[in-house]
Amino acid sequence: MKPFCFADGKIIATEAAALHPSDLGLIRGYGIFDFFRTVNYQPLFLEDYLDRFIRSAERTYIPLAYNREELRTIIHQLIQKNDLKEGGIRMVLSGGISENHFSPGEGKLFIFAESLSFPSEDKYQNGIKLLSLEYVRPVAEIKTTNYALAVWHSAGWKKQGAEDVLYYQGSYISESSRSNFFIVKNGQLITPDSNILLGITRKNVIELAGGAQIRPVTFQEIRDADEAFITSTTKVILPVTQIDDLKIGTGKPGPVTLGLLERFRAMVSQNTSVNS
Amino acid sequence: MKPFCFADGKIIATEAAALHPSDLGLIRGYGIFDFFRTVNYQPLFLEDYLDRFIRSAERTYIPLAYNREELRTIIHQLIQKNDLKEGGIRMVLSGGISENHFSPGEGKLFIFAESLSFPSEDKYQNGIKLLSLEYVRPVAEIKTTNYALAVWHSAGWKKQGAEDVLYYQGSYISESSRSNFFIVKNGQLITPDSNILLGITRKNVIELAGGAQIRPVTFQEIRDADEAFITSTTKVILPVTQIDDLKIGTGKPGPVTLGLLERFRAMVSQNTSVNS
């Protein structure tokens, strides 16, 4: 955590930030958030993230006391105040204090500046393993703070040499716990269309690739895939080479994945190298 | 909320209690809790609740810095300090601060004293309506703070004249969002055995009734049931007379339900009328 955050309507010392523990954000796990990077002091894809955060608040009925302009201003102030050249910004909106301890109240907004830690380079070189887990995140398209099942399961991932999970329901796969999932077949990207968060990195990767098949994806297709990868703000484009005991393609990160990663990184540094 | 709570290792003013908003309890909705009544200054079924709370902490890998003896002492102090003759005690353990914003850290314990509000008497006289909802709470047997889906849905319940939901998966029903569910057929209680929280009121109602069939329960059995009710700390034994458009039995609260409610209330006042 960086020294300054936004809380109670102003920029204050991060260690002084406080949520009342009877807030629904804690007692009912009811809240929304979003998270994006700064690159060379520029918030990456800021308007996309603001779109999603504002929409998440609306769809969860949590009043957000700040409009897009105000959020943008606060974020830029926070980046300056923390000298956050390369880092992460986390916006969190709690469900608020509720008289009946259940119905959403007035949300409390917090914005934190954080250090970023990317996966180690060997994970990009060798790819990672996912564990399949039958689960659909409730209202998956809204970026709620509802990660309890994934946090609970994560204690077991390391023991099984896995980086994360791949959610599925019946024969259809959806997403990883904090990332979107893609396969590559004959040079074509394929990615699930439902029960997923509409990731901003996902969106930009699809654009960069000149499109993708966005449709239901079965487990069988993973068996036949040439490559697979996950996308997220912090993982960027991370090759997936194994799911449970199944090796994907050659078992090594493939050329389409690595080519996209290189182009994505170039695009990011280009977009943020001037005062864009 | 009553004026005093337990936070940061001591009894303090409730309004001064604070959780750091980067705690997993907020940012990942990861935490556990429990809630019980005081009747005539006595915590009702305290040992059952302490059993469950301690087990919830263990099973979610959140370190709890207080043992059973200490929790019991704090609870009794809090009841005295708040003069809580009739009320509720809420224990909450957050997932803690996490370096990677994901793996559980050191949990923060809060214990609140609250006013209780029971359902209005007309709900006991007329019964309530539930809406069916296909959902299984993840790790339902642990009392996590993961209520996001129910809170999200609750905005629509009132409009449909419903009090709460009845979760099901496939043809099997499980529980309501914060209550256990029973049907009565030919004088016999029947209640689901899996995908449920093991409610303390449920347990005591089963004992009081001299047993119940605890097994998978289908939707079809609800159609054929004579009576239905839900149990919880605050709802006690609340008759259910409608699910979606389906009337249960006669459409009125039945004699088994109302008889159990009367006996449960008598047991509670008996158990707590002396220094038990």
Side-chain angles (χ1 to χ4, degrees), chain A residues 6-62:
Chain A
F6 180 83
D8 281 324
K10 52 191 181 293
I11 290 181
I12 62 169
T14 302
E15 61 182 22
L19 176 78
H20 196 279
S22 66
D23 192 290
L24 291 194
L26 176 66
I27 68 170
R28 298 297 183 184
Y30 198 69
I32 59 153
F33 81 113
D34 227 306
F35 183 80
F36 56 85
R37 287 167 64 187
T38 63
V39 183
N40 195 23
Y41 298 106
Q42 304 297 320
L44 192 63
F45 310 132
L46 178 62
E47 298 307 314
D48 286 336
Y49 286 99
L50 290 176
D51 281 348
R52 188 168 67 184
F53 187 67
I54 291 165
R55 198 170 57 234
S56 293
E58 285 169 0
R59 293 211 45 202
T60 49
Y61 320 110
I62 309 176

Side-chain angles (χ1 to χ4, degrees), chain A residues 6-223:
Chain A
F6 180 83
D8 281 324
K10 52 191 181 293
I11 290 181
I12 62 169
T14 302
E15 61 182 22
L19 176 78
H20 196 279
S22 66
D23 192 290
L24 291 194
L26 176 66
I27 68 170
R28 298 297 183 184
Y30 198 69
I32 59 153
F33 81 113
D34 227 306
F35 183 80
F36 56 85
R37 287 167 64 187
T38 63
V39 183
N40 195 23
Y41 298 106
Q42 304 297 320
L44 192 63
F45 310 132
L46 178 62
E47 298 307 314
D48 286 336
Y49 286 99
L50 290 176
D51 281 348
R52 188 168 67 184
F53 187 67
I54 291 165
R55 198 170 57 234
S56 293
E58 285 169 0
R59 293 211 45 202
T60 49
Y61 320 110
I62 309 176
L64 172 60
Y66 301 85
N67 65 28
R68 173 185 289 261
E69 281 279 312
E70 291 165 330
L71 291 172
R72 205 188 283 123
T73 302
I74 296 163
I75 288 162
H76 282 291
Q77 285 173 348
L78 205 57
I79 292 170
Q80 295 312 311
K81 187 87 178 167
N82 284 294
D83 191 32
L84 196 71
K85 188 176 182 190
E86 312 280 325
I89 297 284
R90 184 181 304 269
M91 304 186 280
V92 189
L93 183 66
S94 77
I97 303 283
S98 169
E99 219 167 285
N100 68 0
H101 303 95
F102 202 70
S103 308
E106 285 258 328
K108 292 264 272 176
L109 175 67
F110 300 93
I111 307 181
F112 298 106
E114 299 177 4
S115 306
L116 265 196
S117 62
F118 293 102
S120 56
E121 197 51 41
D122 70 292
K123 289 180 181 165
Y124 288 96
Q125 281 166 16
N126 300 316
I128 57 147
K129 173 181 171 180
L130 301 179
L131 299 175
S132 63
L133 178 64
E134 183 144 28
Y135 182 57
V136 172
R137 283 193 310 115
V139 289
E141 69 280 11
I142 306 176
K143 200 163 171 81
T144 70
T145 55
N146 185 354
Y147 286 76
L149 183 74
V151 170
W152 186 70
H153 265 279
S154 68
W157 298 344
K158 279 233 172 84
K159 286 179 206 147
Q160 296 177 72
E163 180 77 9
D164 212 309
V165 286
L166 178 63
Y167 294 140
Y168 70 95
Q169 188 176 46
S171 8
Y172 294 96
I173 57 106
S174 55
E175 61 183 2
S176 183
S177 78
R178 291 153 289 164
S179 310
N180 289 114
F181 182 79
F182 288 78
I183 56 174
V184 182
K185 181 69 182 176
N186 299 329
Q188 171 78 55
L189 302 198
I190 307 169
T191 193
D193 60 343
S194 60
N195 292 330
I196 62 162
L197 184 77
L198 296 171
I200 309 299
T201 308
R202 172 182 180 272
K203 174 188 155 186
N204 282 281
V205 165
I206 292 170
E207 277 177 26
L208 193 66
Q213 291 180 27
I214 302 171
R215 58 166 176 79
V217 179
T218 64
F219 253 115
Q220 185 55 46
E221 289 183 272
I222 298 179
R223 285 192 189 90

Side-chain angles (χ1 to χ4, degrees), chain B residues 83-96:
Chain B
D83 191 33
L84 195 70
K85 187 175 183 191
E86 313 280 327
I89 298 284
R90 184 182 303 268
M91 306 186 279
V92 189
L93 183 65
S94 76

Side-chain angles (χ1 to χ4, degrees), chain B residues 53-66:
Chain B
F53 188 67
I54 291 165
R55 199 170 56 235
S56 293
E58 286 169 0
R59 294 210 46 202
T60 49
Y61 319 108
I62 309 177
L64 173 59
Y66 301 85

